[in-house]
Amino acid sequence: MKAIVCVKQVPDTQGKVAVKPDGTMDRSKMATITNPDDLNALEAALKLKDETGCEVVVVTMGPPPAEGMLRELMARGADRGVLVSGREFGGSDTFATSQILAAAVNKIGVGPEDVVFCGRQAIDGDTAQVGPQIAEKLHLPQVTYAANIKKEGNTLTVKRMLEDGYMTLKVNTPCLITCIKELNEPRYMSIPGIYSCYAKPLEVYDYEALKDDPLIETDTIGLKGSPTNVYKSFSPPVKGAGMMVESVGQLVGILNDKHLI
Ligand SMILES: Cc1cc2nc3c(=O)[nH]c(=O)nc-3n(C[C@H](O)[C@H](O)[C@H](O)COP(=O)(O)OP(=O)(O)OC[C@H]3O[C@@H](n4cnc5c(N)ncnc54)[C@H](O)[C@@H]3O)c2cc1C
């Protein structure tokens, strides 16, 4: 049994966001972190490992330095890593990204008891499309926004968070679950984990490794093959400083002065 976790390395948007003159993000000038929701997805997989002894495989699509993130995830408890990396994959939109990741998950192999975990959403692209699209491409049932997961045999009982409440449903394995921060508290790296992470296996899947998967269509991956592209991006104008009012009376006075009421 396996838990496969899709993890994205993202720019640290808590710091200063570097923007190129053309308005796109300058990733080379920004520190990277593991996408926060994906740490919850990893923790869900590690909890499954604690309960069942299953293998945890972390997979990311990104440039070669993303190996460092995979090593860190192995120090947290993952058993092996897969780095999907190649020029042909660069500039992929969400449709192409999920196609490539689905092919990678296919190559890792999804058995009857396996679970694929994703974060709900990446903090840079922010679309929340990749997890559901991977599920569709692999014909796996999916449950999104998981806030609680219990596994009994081949059935997972998942509590989903909705805008105004929760929904609990059962899903059979193999399946894909997208995870939110309310699901758990991600564990830290352990000292033995840090010692052993460089001895754990890490495979690189390049274009050659995936090109024969039926999910990979050469004309729908990468920048050229992506069916969507960014038309324009811009930073919103900086707003002026706000003003604190002490009372409703003061607010009414200000609005009156401006002839707004
Ligand atoms: C219209 C459009 C055009 C784009 N063009 C470009 C471009 O030219 N160049 C470019 O670099 N980027 C481009 N992007 C960004 C790129 O497509 C996204 O970063 C990528 O598809 C993931 O989408 P997301 O960030 O919205 O992830 P989400 O769908 O929000 O992520 C959900 C979950 O999917 C998994 N996941 C997502 N991405 C990965 C990954 N790479 N590896 C492993 N797991 C992952 C994670 O578990 C994550 O929590 C474009 C995006 C859009 C919408």
Side-chain angles (χ1 to χ4, degrees):
M1 182 190 164
K2 276 190 303 305
I4 301 172
V5 192
C6 296
V7 184
K8 185 178 183 191
Q9 194 176 45
V10 292
D12 185 358
T13 49
Q14 294 288 333
K16 200 170 178 306
V17 176
V19 180
K20 291 187 205 162
D22 65 0
T24 58
M25 208 191 292
D26 192 346
R27 288 169 193 263
S28 64
K29 293 211 175 104
M30 293 176 67
T32 55
I33 55 167
T34 305
N35 184 51
D37 282 350
D38 303 357
L39 290 177
N40 300 101
L42 174 65
E43 180 59 31
L46 292 174
K47 282 207 158 79
L48 213 56
K49 178 180 169 179
D50 295 341
E51 288 163 22
T52 66
C54 72
E55 182 189 32
V56 174
V57 188
V58 280
V59 51
T60 191
M61 180 173 98
E67 175 184 340
M69 176 190 71
L70 290 177
R71 293 288 176 201
E72 187 195 311
L73 302 175
M74 289 191 260
R76 287 176 189 257
D79 297 295
R80 63 184 169 104
V82 173
L83 172 62
V84 182
S85 200
R87 274 178 199 283
E88 296 83 350
F89 304 141
S92 290
D93 69 357
T94 62
F95 179 88
T97 299
S98 49
Q99 184 177 309
I100 299 158
L101 285 172
V105 171
N106 228 359
K107 189 171 167 66
I108 294 164
V110 182
E113 285 191 67
D114 293 353
V115 183
V116 181
F117 290 100
C118 287
R120 173 204 26 200
Q121 166 168 356
I123 58 166
D124 55 349
D126 248 353
T127 66
Q129 291 172 359
V130 170
Q133 286 187 122
I134 294 173
E136 283 298 310
K137 288 173 204 301
L138 293 174
H139 302 291
L140 292 176
Q142 58 175 288
V143 183
T144 52
Y145 293 67
N148 192 277
I149 304 170
K150 278 202 181 92
K151 186 170 190 298
E152 283 158 319
N154 281 8
T155 305
L156 300 186
T157 305
V158 185
K159 187 170 141 189
R160 298 184 65 217
M161 195 161 87
L162 307 175
E163 226 167 90
D164 52 358
Y166 291 95
M167 171 196 277
T168 300
L169 42 85
K170 289 180 185 290
V171 60
N172 287 337
T173 61
C175 59
L176 183 144
I177 311 283
T178 77
C179 305
I180 57 175
K181 70 173 188 317
E182 288 76 5
L183 176 59
N184 53 40
E185 190 65 44
R187 68 191 70 180
Y188 290 109
M189 292 180 273
S190 66
I191 301 289
I194 294 169
Y195 272 114
S196 64
C197 70
Y198 276 89
K200 291 184 178 177
L202 190 145
E203 279 179 276
V204 178
Y205 292 175
D206 59 6
Y207 175 68
E208 279 302 308
L210 296 181
K211 73 175 192 329
D212 294 330
D213 187 290
L215 285 170
I216 294 281
E217 292 170 33
T218 357
D219 51 350
T220 55
I221 58 164
L223 187 59
K224 270 199 198 147
S226 290
T228 56
N229 52 66
V230 179
Y231 167 65
K232 185 180 174 187
S233 72
F234 59 92
S235 308
V238 181
K239 286 186 188 164
M243 179 186 173
M244 294 295 286
V245 289
E246 302 292 330
S247 66
V248 173
Q250 190 193 353
L251 175 64
V252 170
I254 293 167
L255 294 174
N256 245 332
D257 289 349
K258 292 183 184 282
H259 305 292
L260 292 172
I261 53 171

